[in-house]
Amino acid sequence: SARLSRFSLNTNNTRFMRESEKVILEVTQPARNHNGGGLGFGPDGFLYLSLGDGGAANDLFGQGQNTNTLLATMLRIDIDVQDDTVPYTIPAGNPFADGVNGRPEIYAYGLRNPWRWSFDRLTGDLWLGDVGQGAIEEINVIERGGNYGWPIMEGSSCYNSDSCDRSGLNLPFTDYRHSETGGCSVTGGYIYRGSALPNLQGTYIFGDFCTGAIYGTDASGYSSSGSSYTAQWNELLDTSLGISSF
């Protein structure tokens, strides 16, 4: 299972106390892969957590388009609670906050294996690398209530659907194919907002675990009011690293 816990520091603030563990959330994982990777606070002060589709292959467990599960999602919860009997509360703006059409913790869904993500320090936008099945890796900008298509889509291409109806789906900002790069597993990174490398200003930097290649795509093409989703990427560096995180 995937467990989210909080710990307290000792009086000297030098170490976390094992005995202070408070389990906030625990989600059963039916397989050992695609468990997702990412945990952090957003600009809104809420805690975000990404979980994969439960593993195996081809969305075996039918989680991708199921909003009654916490798998294959980006979650958003409020852990700033004073009542020790309540592990977290639900932000009012969550798309299923009332619990009627989906789990209230869900912020976005339709993800396969959301592996590493970050908030743009300038705009607050949430950028994420989602690992593909066997052919395409994708970069998504996560919006509240967004459906990122798995397993209807793999990247910008149809995957497991007879009709491949894309209406209501959030397509990737950009993607890359295994056949053109030799890659096989995207690792999400960061939008560069530093000053040392002016040419990279506003570039979203990401990589591939299998090849060690590091890529960049111009993030300025993204707009929450709509995007053509035709962004291009460039290889910035070819390394021999197994890039699991930035």
Side-chain angles (χ1 to χ4, degrees), residues 3 25 33 37 46 119 122 152 171 182-183 196 199 201 204 230 238:
R3 176 183 293 179
L25 180 68
N33 57 341
F46 298 131
F119 289 95
L122 180 66
I152 299 169
L171 298 180
N199 289 342
Q201 181 62 225
Y204 179 70
T230 56
D238 184 12

Side-chain angles (χ1 to χ4, degrees), residues 107 123-127 141-144 148 170 173 219-229:
Y107 185 76
T123 67
D125 293 327
L126 175 49
W127 290 73
V141 187
I142 303 299
E143 298 177 0
R144 181 174 62 89
Y148 291 84
N170 293 62
F173 179 79
S220 64
Y222 171 72
S223 168
S224 59
S225 61
S227 171
S228 61
Y229 299 100

Side-chain angles (χ1 to χ4, degrees), residues 53 57-66 72 109-112 130 133 138 147-155 157-162 164-165 169:
D53 67 1
N58 306 306
D59 193 21
L60 177 64
F61 306 104
Q63 312 283 17
Q65 294 298 304
N66 180 6
Y109 64 102
L111 299 167
R112 182 176 180 271
D130 195 16
Q133 173 67 39
E138 63 186 86
N147 177 358
Y148 291 84
W150 176 252
I152 299 169
M153 309 286 294
E154 181 187 15
S157 296
C158 299
Y159 184 70
N160 187 17
S161 173
D162 294 333
C164 196
D165 182 3
L169 301 182

Side-chain angles (χ1 to χ4, degrees), residues 41-219:
F41 290 98
D44 52 14
F46 298 131
L47 184 66
Y48 290 72
L49 170 68
S50 62
L51 294 171
D53 67 1
N58 306 306
D59 193 21
L60 177 64
F61 306 104
Q63 312 283 17
Q65 294 298 304
N66 180 6
T67 57
N68 291 311
T69 177
L70 297 184
L71 296 176
T73 66
M74 174 67 73
L75 306 180
R76 183 176 73 159
I77 59 177
D78 186 355
I79 65 166
D80 187 16
V81 293
Q82 306 303 317
D83 185 348
D84 285 341
T85 65
V86 179
Y88 60 86
T89 58
I90 303 299
N94 280 14
F96 309 115
D98 57 7
V100 174
N101 295 312
R103 292 288 298 268
E105 297 91 344
I106 293 174
Y107 185 76
Y109 64 102
L111 299 167
R112 182 176 180 271
N113 189 29
W115 190 255
R116 303 299 188 247
W117 46 267
S118 63
F119 289 95
D120 183 347
R121 288 180 289 172
L122 180 66
T123 67
D125 293 327
L126 175 49
W127 290 73
L128 176 149
D130 195 16
V131 179
Q133 173 67 39
I136 307 175
E137 308 298 306
E138 63 186 86
I139 299 298
N140 294 307
V141 187
I142 303 299
E143 298 177 0
R144 181 174 62 89
N147 177 358
Y148 291 84
W150 176 252
I152 299 169
M153 309 286 294
E154 181 187 15
S156 55
S157 296
C158 299
Y159 184 70
N160 187 17
S161 173
D162 294 333
S163 61
C164 196
D165 182 3
R166 305 185 189 198
S167 58
L169 301 182
N170 293 62
L171 298 180
F173 179 79
T174 192
D175 60 18
Y176 65 93
R177 296 178 180 272
H178 298 184
S179 59
E180 63 185 340
T181 66
C184 75
S185 184
V186 68
T187 297
Y190 295 86
I191 294 181
Y192 182 73
R193 296 297 182 188
S195 58
L197 302 170
N199 289 342
L200 289 183
Q201 181 62 225
T203 299
Y204 179 70
I205 296 171
F206 59 102
D208 191 274
F209 177 77
C210 302
T211 65
I214 296 175
Y215 304 104
T217 185
D218 182 3

